[in-house]
Amino acid sequence: MRPENNRRAEGGFTQSPSAPTGPIAILAGAGQLPIQLVNHLERTGQDYRVLAFRGFALPELRRRAHASADLLDLKTIMSTLEGWQPHAVSLVGAVRRPGFSALLGAYSALRNRQEVRDVIARGDDQVLRGAVMLLEERGHRVIGAHELAPGLVAPPTLASALRPSVDERDAIAVGLDLLASLSAFDIGQGAVVDRRHVLAIEGPEGTDRMLRRVRGLRQSWFGLHRREQGGVLIKAAKRGQDLRVDMPTIGPRTVIEAGRAGLSGIAIGAGSTFVLDQEKTLNAADRLGLFLVAVDLPWMERAVG
């Protein structure tokens, strides 16, 4: 995904002498990842501009943004990018998928209506790829946040103080097989497995809500007794996933929700999962008695590492 005429510095993405000299444009959605990326760009002295999506970007980021727009206001988004003339564009942070008719109306202003209809009907991955296609057709180079800030990505050596048992490693293997087989159906990036029993598969609700669902399943009708606890959260990129726009992400809150759900640990894809506040995330796992480990994904190359 990286052009051959670009090189990477230790701190992140670096231009070649012949590359355009404009800023990095960050199209920012929800969550902490856009904030941590902007903090990294500031620390490393890289020029950037932030376009925050209304209703998604956190208040802290909106205060630091250079522009804002509604998610489907493609005219404003494209005209803002035209004014900035960025040398690269990165889509960072979560957004909720708009309704079919809203997407069709917005995209049809720029592309053939039937073509847009076909893309939208295929699922979230295709919608994201459609967004990348629109940007690239207008001459913008789309790169992933992992290319700008590789230090935010889980290294293969990532591990907490606790390590998974034999049964828990079996659960991880089952979870990886499950996610690989589900890749073609464009659903979630996570699952919860206890031994060889699948407790939950992540859907559009996201990881945290899936974990709360597991917590609820383990309570009695009156919440007075809990069933036997255990199990592993497996979080990994899908087969064929475009990591530039949709890389799996965990952070301290994920660990807390896993603990509340009674899980024993978390396994994530090495080199292809963002870990927000890595030190705090590992400390939370140690404090709550959970293991956290990065594992290789047999179906893909690591984005970093």
Side-chain angles (χ1 to χ4, degrees):
M1 294 188 295
R2 295 186 293 272
E4 293 180 355
N5 67 339
N6 287 329
R7 53 191 171 85
R8 181 189 302 280
E10 184 175 352
F13 174 82
T14 302
Q15 293 175 252
S16 70
S18 60
T21 58
I24 297 164
I26 306 298
L27 305 186
Q32 287 290 325
L33 181 58
I35 295 173
Q36 295 204 12
L37 176 59
V38 167
N39 290 342
H40 170 81
L41 295 176
E42 289 184 347
R43 285 195 304 269
T44 54
Q46 300 184 66
D47 189 17
Y48 69 90
R49 300 289 186 276
V50 175
L51 189 154
F53 289 129
R54 296 190 187 101
F56 296 98
L58 293 175
E60 177 184 345
L61 188 64
R62 293 201 303 269
R63 290 191 293 269
R64 300 165 67 180
H66 302 82
S68 60
D70 294 327
L71 180 63
L72 295 181
D73 187 356
L74 300 184
K75 181 178 180 181
T76 296
I77 294 169
M78 294 301 178
S79 64
T80 299
L81 292 176
E82 183 179 353
W84 288 346
Q85 289 294 296
H87 79 265
V89 177
S90 187
L91 292 81
V92 188
V95 294
R96 293 184 302 276
R97 176 191 171 104
F100 185 94
S101 60
L103 278 168
L104 185 62
Y107 277 36
S108 293
L110 299 174
R111 297 192 61 81
N112 175 274
R113 190 177 183 86
Q114 184 57 50
E115 181 182 54
V116 173
R117 184 185 296 274
D118 292 342
V119 167
I120 294 172
R122 292 174 188 163
D124 289 348
D125 274 3
Q126 289 297 323
V127 172
L128 290 170
R129 289 172 183 169
V132 171
M133 181 172 58
L134 286 175
L135 291 166
E136 290 180 335
E137 285 180 348
R138 280 150 182 79
H140 298 295
R141 181 165 167 265
V142 179
I143 62 175
H146 62 282
E147 298 176 86
L148 296 168
L152 297 179
V153 180
T157 55
L158 181 77
S160 60
L162 289 177
R163 300 301 172 91
S165 67
V166 173
D167 284 345
E168 289 160 351
R169 288 191 177 277
D170 285 344
I172 293 170
V174 170
L176 292 177
D177 286 344
L178 173 68
L179 293 178
S181 65
L182 291 174
S183 295
F185 299 99
D186 192 11
I187 55 176
Q189 303 168 326
V192 176
V193 180
D194 187 359
R195 298 177 178 86
R196 302 188 66 82
H197 178 54
V198 178
L199 298 180
I201 298 172
E202 181 183 341
E205 82 275 29
T207 305
D208 289 346
R209 290 186 179 179
M210 176 187 67
L211 292 172
R212 292 170 198 155
R213 177 156 48 93
V214 172
R215 181 184 181 187
L217 289 171
R218 289 179 151 180
Q219 293 177 329
S220 72
W221 284 101
F222 301 101
L224 299 177
H225 303 286
R226 300 190 67 83
R227 301 174 184 171
E228 181 181 359
Q229 298 186 10
V232 181
L233 166 65
I234 299 94
K235 183 80 173 173
K238 291 171 280 190
R239 190 190 302 271
Q241 186 165 325
D242 190 339
L243 297 179
R244 293 177 299 171
V245 292
D246 192 20
M247 184 180 282
T249 304
I250 70 163
R253 188 174 66 180
T254 313
V255 177
I256 293 170
E257 293 290 351
R260 289 173 176 169
L263 303 190
S264 55
I266 300 171
I268 60 176
S272 56
T273 306
F274 286 119
V275 182
L276 305 179
D277 295 315
Q278 183 171 308
E279 184 175 355
K280 290 182 180 178
T281 300
L282 288 169
N283 287 341
D286 292 341
R287 184 178 71 254
L288 296 174
L290 277 69
F291 69 81
L292 173 58
V293 63
V295 297
D296 283 327
L297 304 182
W299 58 83
M300 68 182 301
E301 295 182 2
R302 294 174 189 156
V304 177

